[in-house]
Amino acid sequence: KRFGLILDISDFTQPLEKLTKKNEELEQLNLSKDDFISILSHDLRAPFTSILGFAEILLNETSLSEKDKMEYLKYIYDSSNNQLQLINYMLDWSRLQTGRLKIEPRKIHAQSLVYNCISYLTGLTVRKNITISVNIPEAFYVEADERLANQTIISLLSNAVKFSNEDESVEVSANVYNN
C-alpha cells in the first residue's frame, strides 16, 4: 500500500516572505540611520576644532589686541550657538519620529513670524552687512506649529546669510499659491 500526502504550505510561506521583506527594510533603515549618524557626527565635531583653536589662542596669546580677542570670542559664541541649535533641531526631530513631540498647528501671522526670525539673526547680518527684506502681504497667515516654523525659517535664513557675500541682501517672500 502506498499513501500520499499533499499539503498546501502557502499559508506558512507567505508570513515567512513578509518577515524576510520586513527584515530587509529594517536593515536598509538601519544603514540609513548609520549614514545619518556618521554625517551628523562630522557636522557636530568639525566646528569644535575651530572653537577649541580660537579658545587656545585666547588662553595662550597674551599679546592679542582687544579687537582680535572680541572677534575670536564672537566666533566662539556664534559657533557654539549654532551647534546648540543643531543639537536642539536633532532632538526635536528625534522626538517627532518617536511621537514624543506633538505638532500643534495654529494660525500664525506670517510677516511677524519672519520678522521674529530675522531679529534672531541680527548679529550675523550686521557682521556681514547683509540686509534682509521681507515681501509678505500684511494679511497673510499660515497654519503651522510656531516653534517648528521658527526653526525652519531661522535655519533657511541663517544659511542664506552664511552663504551670501558681504554687503548683499536676502529677500523673503510669500504669497498665496492658486492653481
Side-chain angles (χ1 to χ4, degrees):
K1 293 184 185 183
R2 292 190 181 177
F3 290 97
L5 180 62
I6 298 175
L7 289 175
D8 181 3
I9 62 169
S10 59
D11 288 343
F12 300 105
T13 59
Q14 286 175 348
L16 182 60
E17 288 172 6
K18 285 181 182 177
L19 279 175
T20 302
K21 183 177 180 185
K22 188 65 173 174
N23 190 44
E24 289 170 0
E25 289 172 3
L26 289 173
E27 285 177 0
Q28 187 59 44
L29 274 173
N30 200 35
L31 287 174
S32 296
K33 176 195 57 103
D34 290 346
D35 287 345
F36 175 72
I37 289 173
S38 175
I39 292 167
L40 182 64
S41 297
H42 178 267
D43 287 349
L44 287 173
R45 187 176 49 221
F48 281 105
T49 304
S50 296
I51 291 170
L52 290 170
F54 281 115
E56 186 177 352
I57 291 169
L58 286 168
L59 289 170
N60 295 325
E61 294 294 326
T62 57
S63 62
L64 284 176
S65 70
E66 206 54 39
K67 181 183 173 194
D68 286 342
K69 287 179 185 177
M70 288 308 294
E71 183 180 333
Y72 294 168
L73 285 173
K74 283 180 185 175
Y75 179 81
I76 291 170
Y77 177 81
D78 288 343
S79 293
S80 300
N81 221 7
N82 288 339
Q83 288 305 102
L84 180 60
Q85 186 179 31
L86 179 61
I87 290 167
N88 286 333
Y89 290 163
M90 287 196 24
L91 288 172
D92 283 346
W93 177 82
S94 173
R95 288 184 196 122
L96 202 61
Q97 296 298 311
T98 59
R100 291 179 294 166
L101 177 68
K102 301 295 182 229
I103 297 175
E104 298 174 10
R106 65 181 187 87
K107 187 177 179 180
I108 304 169
H109 186 245
Q111 234 184 38
S112 297
L113 177 68
V114 170
Y115 281 125
N116 286 337
C117 294
I118 290 171
S119 69
Y120 180 82
L121 298 168
T122 300
L124 186 59
T125 58
V126 167
R127 277 193 292 287
K128 288 187 79 173
N129 196 31
I130 291 179
T131 57
I132 300 177
S133 61
V134 178
N135 181 17
I136 299 174
E138 176 66 33
F140 190 70
Y141 287 81
V142 293
E143 183 84 16
D145 180 288
E146 188 168 8
R147 187 171 41 83
L148 295 175
N150 271 317
Q151 287 179 347
T152 303
I153 294 169
I154 287 171
S155 181
L156 290 169
L157 287 174
S158 178
N159 282 338
V161 170
K162 185 163 113 179
F163 294 108
S164 294
N165 295 318
E166 285 190 20
D167 302 320
E168 288 186 342
S169 63
V170 172
E171 180 181 345
V172 180
S173 60
N175 213 329
V176 177
Y177 174 75
N178 294 318
N179 286 338

